[in-house]
Amino acid sequence: APAEDAITDLPGLNHTIGFRHFSGYLNGAQGKQLHYWFVESSRDPANDPLVLWMNGGPGCSSMEGLLAELGPYQVNVDGKTLRENPYAWNTVANVLFLEAPACVGFSYDPNDDCRTGDDETSLSNYLALQDFFLHKFPEYRKNEFYITGESYAGIYVPTLAVRVLKGQKDFTINLQGYAIGNGLSSYELNDDSIIFFAYFHGLFGDELWNRLVSHCCTGSRASKENCNFYNSYWPLCIKSVKEASDIVYNEGLNMYNLYDDCPTGTGGNFTRYEADLSNILRKHKHHSDLLQKTKERIVQLGEANLT
Amino acid sequence: LDPPCTNGTNLLDYLNMPEVRKAIHIPDHVQKFELCNDEVNMNFKREYDTMKPQYQYLTSKIRGLVYNGDIDMACNFLGDEWFVESLDLRVLEKRRMWHQGGQVGGFVKRFQNLDLVTVRGAGHMVPEDKPGPALKMLVSFLFKKPY
């Protein structure tokens, strides 16, 4: 383990911990420096599995995972002190938190170039893993390794896992599996299913539901096979989906936890897990524009009898 | 781009303390910490509509776990359930309840090399919303124990 990356005195940590922890940088593609924070297992670090964790976005920091979700210490509301998390994942595994891509959190690009995409991100993450296992922590190369994450990591995790498996001839990592929580796996299925989810949870009633089924589904029965809420070009379907989407995403419900409060805080108009949402909105913006242009054209043509 | 209905002020305050930056070896030239970077997000090239080919490859090689807090609406459980079902994997264990702490933790259905799990009453951030059930689920997956 790199002594220079060892955390020896973490501010706000007022309880004793039974594990080592490290923070530093891993080399990604084209000189990108990806910040990592590694917490060893408090049980048996030499033999416990190693779990990589990534939060989503794209563009959001995995420090959220470390300090608010599954890490061994969590930040108190005072923003200065830390409390113990008895359910930390490092009670059973070594956990590596990686901030990616460059420019996220404390990760950086030496040329301040923050533009990237899915493939370059997975390549950088792969190179960072090589740096971790070859140079920083070679003693962990034999441990069982798992790639995990949440939300837009539904893209990060599989693309990275494929790279690791396909690169095994040149660089062997003991990859055993992957885990993805509330991940984005398909834009189409995510967008189609949320309409069913919302109706089944009572977020809107039969009047809107019947219109959705009538305008977006073939046949009289709503099912995932029969309905297309995702990319219909029927104006009445688009209009109904927009109404439903507004209820789900824009009218004050906590989209991350339907039954939780919606505290005001640092939250903005967009979301760190916006992958699905931005696409819904982008698609609807396109559809709305189309609808608006169609309406204007009809008015221009004076086709009052058009139905 | 910080998410609505959440408050990350404590994380921002903590990670931007100079003594914390020093303790975790962040060089002075590195930017101030933000939970989400809007420049990255806005310019990010989204190159995949679906992860189906990746899952088809991965499930032929290694084990996987897809889990969902069942009251999240950003990436809802039903969409991931449909996605996993669409892979047409061999079913090893029919959908059933799993338990933690004397309560129903959620539901699990196991396929060849892929476990599909819901965490009852959790939102998007499962380990934060339901830490006990989340840890049990992780242990079951990592160490091949029953859910």
Side-chain angles (χ1 to χ4, degrees):
Chain A
E4 66 277 16
D5 287 358
I7 301 173
T8 53
D9 183 19
L10 188 62
L13 186 66
N14 299 319
H15 58 273
T16 54
I17 56 171
F19 56 89
R20 296 191 303 170
H21 47 174
F22 302 85
S23 170
Y25 284 89
L26 299 169
N27 291 313
Q30 297 160 341
K32 292 174 194 295
Q33 295 294 299
L34 302 185
H35 174 237
Y36 81 92
W37 191 320
F38 179 47
V39 291
E40 288 188 330
S41 170
S42 59
R43 189 173 68 171
D44 184 2
N47 296 302
D48 279 340
L50 171 61
V51 171
L52 167 67
W53 173 268
M54 289 178 287
N55 282 84
C60 296
S61 166
S62 298
M63 294 299 98
E64 166 90 4
L66 170 69
L67 297 169
E69 294 190 71
L70 55 112
Y73 25 67
Q74 300 183 330
V75 182
N76 288 316
V77 288
D78 63 11
K80 293 176 183 163
T81 56
L82 302 171
R83 65 180 180 277
E84 186 175 2
N85 174 15
Y87 301 102
W89 288 15
N90 83 320
T91 55
V92 297
N94 305 282
V95 188
L96 169 64
F97 297 87
L98 182 67
E99 291 195 294
C103 303
V104 170
F106 290 128
S107 294
Y108 65 93
D109 179 291
N111 301 313
D112 279 335
D113 185 359
C114 298
R115 291 168 302 173
T116 185
D118 290 320
D119 284 335
E120 194 277 331
T121 296
S122 73
L123 175 62
S124 264
N125 291 344
Y126 180 54
L127 295 175
L129 275 185
Q130 290 193 2
D131 195 21
F132 180 88
F133 284 112
L134 284 175
H135 303 120
K136 295 267 184 177
F137 296 88
E139 66 272 29
Y140 279 101
R141 201 163 158 188
K142 65 176 178 21
N143 293 51
E144 289 193 348
F145 179 53
Y146 292 84
I147 303 175
T148 72
E150 178 178 279
S151 195
Y152 197 80
I155 308 290
Y156 295 158
V157 170
T159 50
L160 176 59
V162 167
R163 269 192 201 276
V164 170
L165 286 175
K166 290 192 171 171
Q168 289 285 32
K169 271 186 287 184
D170 304 316
F171 176 67
T172 307
I173 305 175
N174 188 12
L175 179 64
Q176 293 290 312
Y178 58 98
I180 296 161
N182 291 76
L184 180 67
S185 44
S186 157
Y187 289 102
E188 179 179 357
L189 294 180
N190 194 51
D191 289 4
D192 274 346
S193 60
I194 189 62
I195 302 295
F196 287 87
F197 181 102
Y199 176 60
F200 295 157
H201 283 78
L203 303 190
F204 50 80
D206 284 341
E207 192 273 326
L208 177 54
W209 176 247
N210 289 337
R211 271 193 286 130
L212 284 160
V213 174
S214 168
H215 300 314
C216 307
C217 307
T218 55
S220 57
R221 188 174 154 271
S223 69
K224 67 174 186 285
E225 291 84 12
N226 291 351
C227 301
N228 175 14
F229 304 118
Y230 170 65
N231 60 357
S232 171
Y233 280 88
W234 293 104
L236 290 174
C237 174
I238 293 164
K239 183 171 176 287
S240 303
V241 171
K242 185 174 184 312
E243 278 180 55
S245 299
D246 279 343
I247 291 167
V248 172
Y249 296 119
N250 297 333
E251 292 189 357
L253 292 170
N254 184 339
M255 79 178 78
Y256 300 110
N257 189 327
L258 176 56
Y259 300 120
D260 203 359
D261 295 336
C262 182
T264 54
T266 51
N269 293 325
F270 296 93
T271 135
R272 99 188 87 169
Y273 306 103
E274 57 70 65
D276 48 303
L277 185 61
S278 73
N279 277 275
I280 287 171
L281 296 178
R282 194 158 54 212
K283 178 157 51 68
H284 286 169
K285 183 173 184 315
H286 166 71
H287 287 166
S288 296
D289 291 347
L290 198 67
L291 193 61
Q292 190 57 37
K293 281 176 189 159
T294 309
K295 281 180 184 169
E296 287 166 7
R297 183 78 179 132
I298 289 168
V299 170
Q300 281 170 8
L301 291 170
E303 303 249 14
N305 291 329
L306 263 182
T307 59
Chain B
L1 289 183
D2 290 359
C5 299
T6 65
N7 188 340
T9 309
N10 55 342
L11 261 68
L12 289 179
D13 289 348
Y14 183 76
L15 287 168
N16 283 317
M17 286 164 62
E19 53 270 43
V20 171
R21 285 178 63 112
K22 189 174 172 202
I24 60 173
H25 319 116
I26 306 300
D28 290 342
H29 66 82
V30 173
Q31 71 273 4
K32 192 176 163 222
F33 180 83
E34 291 180 277
L35 266 179
C36 296
N37 183 304
D38 53 358
E39 188 183 352
V40 171
N41 186 283
M42 297 301 177
N43 294 313
F44 197 87
K45 203 158 49 162
R46 293 158 177 84
E47 290 159 312
Y48 299 97
D49 290 330
T50 175
M51 284 288 106
K52 194 167 182 177
Q54 286 77 10
Y55 274 78
Q56 284 170 331
Y57 178 73
L58 292 172
T59 50
S60 71
K61 304 278 185 190
I62 53 173
R63 297 190 301 123
L65 164 66
V66 170
Y67 68 89
N68 288 80
D70 65 6
I71 52 172
D72 173 35
M73 300 196 293
C75 299
N76 75 87
F77 80 93
L78 194 58
D80 281 333
E81 183 180 311
W82 290 359
F83 176 78
V84 170
E85 294 281 358
S86 78
L87 299 173
D88 284 328
L89 299 170
R90 190 160 68 87
V91 177
L92 299 183
E93 195 179 336
K94 287 196 287 191
R95 184 184 167 94
R96 64 166 175 83
M97 290 175 179
W98 63 277
H99 296 82
Q100 193 272 338
Q103 252 293 5
V104 176
F107 294 83
V108 56
K109 183 173 180 179
R110 297 186 59 239
F111 300 83
Q112 184 76 47
N113 267 349
L114 192 58
D115 298 342
L116 176 65
V117 174
T118 63
V119 181
R120 190 177 63 87
H124 197 76
M125 287 74 101
V126 171
E128 182 176 356
D129 294 339
K130 292 284 179 185
L135 183 59
K136 181 184 177 188
M137 176 188 67
L138 179 81
V139 168
S140 297
F141 173 66
L142 291 183
F143 302 106
K144 299 176 190 166
K145 293 180 175 176
Y147 287 96

